[in-house]
Amino acid sequence: MRVFGKWLGRFLIVVVAAVVAFLAFAPGYVESQRNAVSPHDPWPVSDEAAALHENLLVGDWHSDSLLWRRDLTRRANRGHVDLPRLIEGNVALQMFTAVTKSPRGQNYSRNAADAPDNITLLAMGQRWPARTWDSLLERALYQAERLHGFEEKAPEMLQIIRNQADLDAVLARRAAGEDVVGGLLGIEGAHPLEGDMANLDKLVEAGYRMIGLQHFFDNELGGSLHGTSDQGLTDFGRELVRAVAAGPLIIDLAHSSPQVARDVLAITDVPLVVSHTGLHSACRVKRNFEDPLMREIATTGGVIAIGYWADVTCNQSPAGVASVIRQAIAVLGEDHVSLGSDFDGSVRTGYDTSELAALTHALINEGVTEPQIRKVMGENMLRVLRDRLEE
């Protein structure tokens, strides 16, 4: 019996050690695989491009960095975004988007709403609070808490923007020579509402200022571009859209079905955003709305934000992304094109946020003018924020 007890004790020690090792190393390994940067020599950046980039206002509508177990105040050797690399890339405005549910086998074509959820296991593996394990709302609130925690730890690097006064404060600090990033919070899919309109106030109180309606599956608000129904807005979806349009919030149509986008266009008169996408005529994939619908969205005064990964651009190099941006300017107009990287969103990219001067270089090579570059890199985003954020 003693021999058995000794064997059992050793076995339990091995099991505990394995669990500890898994919790310590597995999340980082998973992220390094999910958010890779393709190996490359340094991208070319001319003196002209470097000088221009240094004087640009740069803004990005979409990064999922809060999903991963990293201290964003420190430069990491994995992923695409952290505050030191944002500063290196001269990024002034960064929308941090919260992912709360992701279907097993996620793809761009068809996902069932009741498929097993990947984020539950990720939350457990990354040791998120137990309250997040079975609540989409709590997952969103926790990711907001993380961003606020980074602001408290490094206020010299990050200031969260909730209103126009915060926005002006960030711009003033940068004009005075401070290397500070203005961080905003967005939701990737409105399912954290959990079907209850009262939860919208909780998200707003937590700092969220952009609401995506769907992600990779149909939800209580309507159909996803990647779901099974292709439906438009539900009654709950219409109620939510009207409430968001009436408040200090931005509506994001990325991942929504085309019919949801048309329904939103029919019942709102505010600038709309597609936060991370490509241009269909430049990269003919289902992930990109077709050009006529993109033009309708642009006529609201909103913006189409071009991503950096090959599934939406068909070429993830700086030159490839710049080519899509040039074509988007031609199709949509220079006032309606922005940047929407999808950094840290389980995508492989050709560069991380510290290398954005290479995109400026590529835009110059594409023949995009300096005023157009300034608009695309950040001024168009700034205009929409000023329109939608409360004073």
Side-chain angles (χ1 to χ4, degrees):
M1 196 68 179
R2 279 184 192 171
V3 173
F4 175 76
K6 186 181 292 186
W7 179 86
L8 180 60
R10 289 174 178 171
F11 175 75
L12 291 175
I13 289 172
V14 171
V15 170
V16 170
V19 171
V20 170
F22 174 82
L23 293 175
F25 298 108
Y29 174 78
V30 170
E31 188 197 358
S32 67
Q33 299 301 302
R34 300 295 297 174
N35 297 319
V37 178
S38 295
H40 61 275
D41 293 330
W43 297 111
V45 180
S46 67
D47 291 343
E48 175 192 6
L52 174 58
H53 190 80
E54 186 179 349
N55 289 285
L56 293 175
L57 173 78
V58 180
D60 177 5
W61 281 104
H62 199 97
S63 171
D64 293 334
S65 309
L66 297 174
L67 181 62
W68 307 99
R69 196 178 74 190
R70 277 193 284 122
D71 180 351
L72 296 185
T73 69
R74 302 176 61 182
R75 198 183 203 285
N77 60 4
R78 66 176 188 265
H80 305 129
V81 167
D82 49 53
L83 290 167
R85 282 185 284 178
L86 286 168
I87 291 169
E88 289 176 35
N90 194 34
V91 178
L93 304 170
Q94 180 64 60
M95 184 73 72
F96 292 95
T97 39
V99 178
T100 59
K101 182 178 176 181
S102 170
R104 191 80 50 83
Q106 179 176 297
N107 62 85
Y108 291 127
S109 298
R110 186 178 179 86
N111 301 273
D114 59 356
D117 171 43
N118 292 321
I119 305 303
T120 301
L121 292 176
L122 187 64
M124 292 178 175
Q126 295 189 138
R127 290 174 284 174
W128 286 15
R131 62 186 169 89
T132 68
W133 296 358
D134 61 355
S135 170
L136 304 186
L137 174 64
E138 291 296 339
R139 292 176 191 177
L141 296 178
Y142 175 65
Q143 289 178 70
E145 290 167 12
R146 294 194 69 218
L147 190 65
H148 283 86
F150 297 139
E151 181 186 45
E152 291 173 7
K153 182 177 181 180
E156 73 282 3
M157 288 196 288
L158 175 66
Q159 180 174 343
I160 295 175
I161 295 171
R162 304 165 188 79
N163 51 44
Q164 291 191 32
D166 293 334
L167 177 60
D168 290 338
V170 167
L171 298 179
R173 290 177 64 184
R174 291 182 62 85
E178 293 188 51
D179 290 327
V180 64
V181 177
L184 299 108
L185 281 162
I187 288 282
E188 187 146 33
H191 30 277
L193 293 170
E194 298 179 339
D196 185 351
M197 280 293 297
N199 286 331
L200 180 61
D201 290 338
K202 295 179 182 179
L203 295 175
V204 173
E205 179 64 24
Y208 284 97
R209 293 298 181 266
M210 185 170 76
I211 307 291
L213 303 182
Q214 282 79 30
H215 198 201
F216 273 90
F217 51 90
D218 303 335
N219 61 17
E220 301 95 336
L221 288 85
S224 164
L225 182 61
H226 326 286
T228 60
S229 70
D230 293 324
Q231 72 178 31
L233 288 172
T234 63
D235 290 342
F236 180 68
R238 290 186 179 86
E239 182 184 7
L240 185 279
V241 166
R242 290 189 175 101
V244 170
L249 300 167
I250 298 161
I251 298 172
D252 177 15
L253 295 175
H255 294 294
S256 292
S257 72
Q259 189 56 52
V260 163
R262 295 186 188 99
D263 289 349
V264 172
L265 285 162
I267 64 173
T268 63
D269 60 356
V270 297
L272 302 173
V273 171
V274 184
S275 70
H276 56 305
T277 186
L279 183 73
H280 193 269
S281 57
C283 186
R284 296 182 181 276
V285 293
K286 181 179 180 179
R287 177 63 179 77
N288 300 331
F289 286 154
E290 294 191 3
D291 289 12
L293 181 54
M294 289 291 207
R295 281 193 288 265
E296 287 188 62
I297 295 167
T299 61
T300 68
V303 291
I304 311 304
I306 303 301
Y308 300 164
W309 75 108
D311 290 337
V312 296
T313 61
C314 293
N315 182 337
Q316 64 191 15
S317 70
V321 176
S323 175
V324 174
I325 289 173
R326 175 185 55 76
Q327 293 175 74
I329 290 171
V331 171
L332 306 171
E334 63 188 48
D335 295 325
H336 306 291
V337 184
S338 275
L339 304 180
S341 64
D342 201 20
F343 277 151
D344 292 329
S346 293
V347 295
R348 174 180 290 272
T349 64
Y351 48 94
D352 70 13
T353 196
S354 70
E355 302 174 271
L356 282 180
L359 180 57
T360 299
H361 174 91
L363 288 168
I364 292 172
N365 283 355
E366 281 287 326
V368 182
T369 68
E370 180 177 326
Q372 291 173 330
I373 292 173
R374 290 187 179 277
K375 288 181 177 183
V376 170
M377 294 296 278
E379 289 179 357
N380 289 340
M381 180 177 183
L382 178 62
R383 186 193 74 247
V384 174
L385 291 176
R386 288 202 182 284
D387 185 283
R388 295 302 299 149
L389 294 178
E390 65 183 358
E391 296 181 1

